[in-house]
Amino acid sequence: MSSETGPHHGEAVAARIERRWAALSIVIVGVLVGMATFIGIHQATMPQGRVELANPRTLHLSGEFIESNLGTSVEADGSVVVRAVGQQYSFTPQCIVVPVDTPVNLRTTSADVVHGLLIEGTNINTMLVPGYIADLQIRFKKPGEHVMPCQEFCGIGHQGMWGKVKVVEKDAFAKLMASRRRISCVE
Ligand code: CUA
């Protein structure tokens, strides 16, 4: 057969190999697109691996978010935990105090409708969805104040729903913590 032995045999082989590689690369792209699509849809439709729930009807009666448990505390392991609740139209506590340059775990939820929580100048920007706990990690590099508006329309008083985060030096924080188990900077 001339195609096997003729002068064009090498070309035919090269063309065949090129087609195979082209097909392979299309398959690889297809697999990657398929994986991305699957993961995207899967994550959007499944709850996150670690979803924590908090019943908005009983928040004020028992559990982690009762009023006496809100504010900033130092846990047994030395970590700083802030617990706060959003409700129409305020945050409790309205002013959160945290130490500088320390890992802070911010745990929040909503007592009624969906609110937002944004800490200006940081990457903290979450929704407070009734029934769910938003659990965030943050570390403030400098002392100072950050405004903390609700950034999710939550009703007629939405634009008045603002809180504040006050970042203080570590020793000042220790002094504040010395007298109480939970603190805030609400005056
Ligand atoms: Cu709460 Cu907007």
Side-chain angles (χ1 to χ4, degrees):
M1 285 193 338
S2 63
S3 67
E4 290 289 330
T5 54
H8 299 304
H9 178 231
E11 268 175 48
V13 170
R16 198 168 64 221
I17 291 171
E18 269 180 40
R19 269 199 304 278
R20 277 187 196 159
W21 281 109
L24 181 65
S25 58
I26 289 167
V27 168
I28 290 171
V29 170
V31 167
L32 292 175
V33 168
M35 275 166 64
T37 307
F38 173 77
I39 290 167
I41 293 171
H42 185 72
Q43 286 184 348
T45 53
M46 304 297 275
Q48 293 162 2
R50 204 172 136 265
V51 165
E52 293 180 279
L53 305 174
N55 186 347
R57 290 177 195 282
T58 57
L59 275 189
H60 60 298
L61 299 176
S62 65
E64 186 179 344
F65 292 96
I66 52 171
E67 196 160 2
S68 61
N69 206 34
L70 300 179
T72 308
S73 64
V74 178
E75 304 289 293
D77 63 359
S79 63
V80 173
V81 178
V82 177
R83 291 186 181 84
V85 171
Q87 64 265 305
Q88 289 168 320
Y89 296 98
S90 63
F91 295 101
T92 309
Q94 195 71 13
C95 181
I96 290 169
V97 59
V98 291
V100 73
D101 202 23
T102 306
V104 172
N105 178 204
L106 178 59
R107 290 173 64 77
T108 53
T109 187
S110 166
D112 40 43
V113 301
V114 174
H115 295 279
L117 186 156
L118 183 151
I119 302 178
E120 161 268 329
T122 73
N123 65 354
I124 297 289
N125 183 351
T126 189
M127 278 163 78
L128 307 184
V129 181
Y132 296 90
I133 298 173
D135 183 280
L136 304 159
Q137 306 295 330
I138 183 166
R139 188 183 195 119
F140 293 90
K141 293 190 186 85
K142 283 185 294 198
E145 288 191 7
H146 301 257
V147 290
M148 185 180 79
C150 173
Q151 96 302 21
E152 198 70 47
F153 183 76
C154 53
I156 192 127
H158 160 72
Q159 73 281 3
M161 188 171 167
W162 289 74
K164 196 164 71 176
V165 177
K166 213 177 198 171
V167 186
V168 300
E169 296 289 356
K170 285 182 185 181
D171 50 350
F173 180 79
K175 231 174 260 170
L176 288 169
M177 264 337 291
S179 54
R180 274 174 300 165
R181 280 180 56 240
R182 298 189 199 286
I183 57 170
S184 73
C185 41
V186 177
E187 277 127 33

